[in-house]
């Protein structure tokens, strides 16, 4: 027994002191400085980042929709389940550092003729009970690299959940903005219908009194019917947006229990709290996903490299063995065994080397994917600021057009009544006014969508950790 203990202690000391970890050690790639042009800087607050950015619209319906989506959206629930699975796999891989084993009991019986005469058959019985132990001694760091890969994959799944949350929140607010925009365009169309109806009535009255032409009546009715036709696509768009909001919040289409009747397009009355745009690569979950996948791929190069070296395993037994069931648990039946083994797949060397090359190529691909993700993030963020700025400029010009076209329409209608201009001029001013007001509503909708895109591109909607995982390569795990 003393020899067995000495052997076990010696093996443990050797495993702890003599092991090495093969393969490359992960180092996070250097990130470029995120220098973004935000145009009118007075519109932004660079001192803080508003995590719940949708609250700046001061619309309780938006806040309720986002809460419902975070609680009931199935894509978020799926990503959350993936996080649980990844952390469970990480816990499982960490357990591989320690010995494995179990307890059991066995009984065997045999009857056979025995030497030297082989004339009489002897019956042999054996009872055993105890614990079996196996331990892969991680001399070359295979288990360590597997744990590193599982840790990185768990962090990647966590970041993937955040990415889904960011995208779903942005989609909810974007669809809500489109809904309000369609409703506003219907309001414009209905006001235009009222104006056109007055033109129809005017042309009919002039025709009945003999001072107008039937052609004017037909033309005015044709434009009125055309304006009526613009309502159908807008109503279909409203239905589509309502169905989409229902699905995003985990409900069946048409069964969203919320009043979404007409409300003006929400606006943010204060400067957008976006924080420092240079931190976007730390905030964006998709960048964190790609970086953690790179870390996992690097660790798996070490796993493949460790397979080139021998695998040392220790197995053992501690318990009781007896030829009689009644004697099994007595001290005299105590038994133990220790069996170290070494396996080295030298005859499979070419295959093992090929697996290393596969892991190295996959690591290179992960690095390229990370770098491309960073570039896409920078492009996405910069484009969001460009589009937001251009939407605002367009809206200002359209507002000026709306004011001028409305005045032109009033003048034209008065002059038509007096007979100074013909109907075509009046109808043209009506068309211009409708187009300007409709375009202005679309531009106002685009401004709201632009706010959504800015926060989505900056990774808004969750709280980034204080330390950059991409820089440290580690993060504490606390999962229930």
């Amino acid at each position: 027994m003393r020899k067995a203990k000495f052997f076990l202690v010696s093996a443990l000391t050797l495993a702890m002191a003599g092991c090495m970890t093969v393969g490359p050690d992960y180092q996070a790639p250097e990130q470029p400085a995120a220098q973004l042009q935000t145009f009118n800087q007075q519109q932004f607050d660079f001192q803080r980042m508003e995590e719940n950015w949708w609250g700046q619209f001061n619309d309780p319906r938006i806040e309720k929709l986002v809460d419902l989506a975070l609680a009931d959206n199935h894509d978020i629930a799926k990503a959350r389940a993936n996080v649980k699975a990844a952390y469970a796999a990480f816990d499982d891989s960490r357990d591989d550092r320690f010995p494995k084993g179990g307890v059991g009991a066995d009984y065997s019986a045999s009857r056979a003729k025995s030497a030297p005469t082989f004339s009489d058959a002897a019956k042999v019985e054996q009872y055993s009970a105890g614990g079996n132990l196996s331990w892969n001694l991680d001399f070359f760091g295979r288990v360590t690299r597997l744990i590193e890969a599982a840790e990185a994959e768990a962090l990647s799944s966590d970041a993937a959940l955040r990415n889904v949350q960011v995208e779903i929140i942005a989609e909810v607010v974007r669809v809500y903005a489109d809904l309000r925009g369609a409703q506003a365009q219907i309001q414009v169309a209905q006001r235009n219908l009222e104006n056109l109806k007055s033109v129809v009535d005017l042309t009919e009255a002039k025709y009945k009194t003999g001072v107008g032409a039937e052609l004017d009546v037909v033309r005015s009715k044709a434009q009125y019917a055309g304006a009526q036709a613009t309502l159908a696509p807008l109503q279909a768009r409203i239905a589509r947006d309502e169905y989409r909001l229902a699905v995003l919040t985990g409900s069946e289409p048409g069964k969203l229990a919320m009043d979404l009747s007409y409300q003006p397009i929400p606006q943010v009355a204060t400067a957008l709290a976006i924080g420092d745009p240079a931190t976007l690569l730390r905030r964006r979950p998709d960048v964190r996903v790609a970086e953690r996948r790179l870390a996992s791929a690097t660790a798996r190069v070490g796993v493949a490299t460790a397979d080139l070296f021998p695998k040392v395993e220790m197995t053992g037994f501690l318990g009781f063995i007896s030829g009689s069931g009644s004697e099994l648990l007595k001290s005299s039946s105590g038994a133990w065994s220790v069996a170290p083994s070494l396996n080295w797949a030298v005859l499979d060397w070419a295959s093992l080397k090929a697996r290393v090359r596969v892991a190295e190529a996959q690591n290179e691909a992960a690095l390229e994917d990370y770098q491309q993700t960073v570039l896409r993030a920078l492009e996405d963020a910069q484009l969001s600021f460009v589009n937001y700025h251009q939407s605002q400029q367009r809206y200002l010009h359209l507002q000026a057009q709306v004011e001028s076209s409305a005045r032109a329409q009033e003048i034209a209608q008065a002059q038509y009544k007096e007979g100074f201009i013909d109907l075509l001029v009046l109808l043209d001013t009506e068309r211009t006014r409708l187009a300007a007001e409709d375009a202005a509503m679309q531009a106002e909708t685009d401004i709201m969508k632009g706010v959504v895109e800015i926060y989505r591109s900056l990774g808004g909607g969750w709280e980034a950790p204080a330390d950059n995982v991409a820089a440290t390569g580690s993060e504490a795990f606390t999962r229930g």
Side-chain angles (χ1 to χ4, degrees), residues 95-161:
D95 194 51
D96 289 340
R97 287 174 172 168
F98 307 105
K100 306 285 185 179
V103 295
D106 295 294
Y107 166 75
S108 65
S110 64
R111 186 179 182 86
K113 292 181 179 181
S114 58
T117 64
F118 294 98
S119 58
D120 296 325
K123 181 180 180 182
V124 178
E125 292 183 308
Q126 179 173 296
Y127 297 82
S128 66
N132 294 290
L133 180 72
S134 65
W135 188 12
N136 287 313
L137 301 179
D138 193 25
F139 284 115
F140 302 101
R142 186 178 190 277
V143 173
T144 300
R145 294 304 192 195
L146 282 171
I147 293 172
E148 289 177 5
E151 178 185 11
E153 287 163 9
L155 279 169
S156 176
S157 69
D158 208 3
L161 168 60

Side-chain angles (χ1 to χ4, degrees), residues 48-56 273-275 283 455 460-461:
R48 64 185 183 91
M49 177 70 173
E50 180 59 60
E51 304 300 338
N52 298 334
W53 54 266
W54 53 93
Q56 296 175 98
I274 63 171
R283 293 193 51 81
Y455 280 103

Side-chain angles (χ1 to χ4, degrees), residues 2 20 23 70 111 113 128 164 180 293 304 356 393 403 424:
R2 290 181 178 178
M20 64 177 180
L70 290 174
R111 186 179 182 86
K113 292 181 179 181
S128 66
V164 173
R180 292 308 186 202
R293 286 176 178 170
V356 173
Q393 296 302 308
E403 295 175 5
L424 287 178

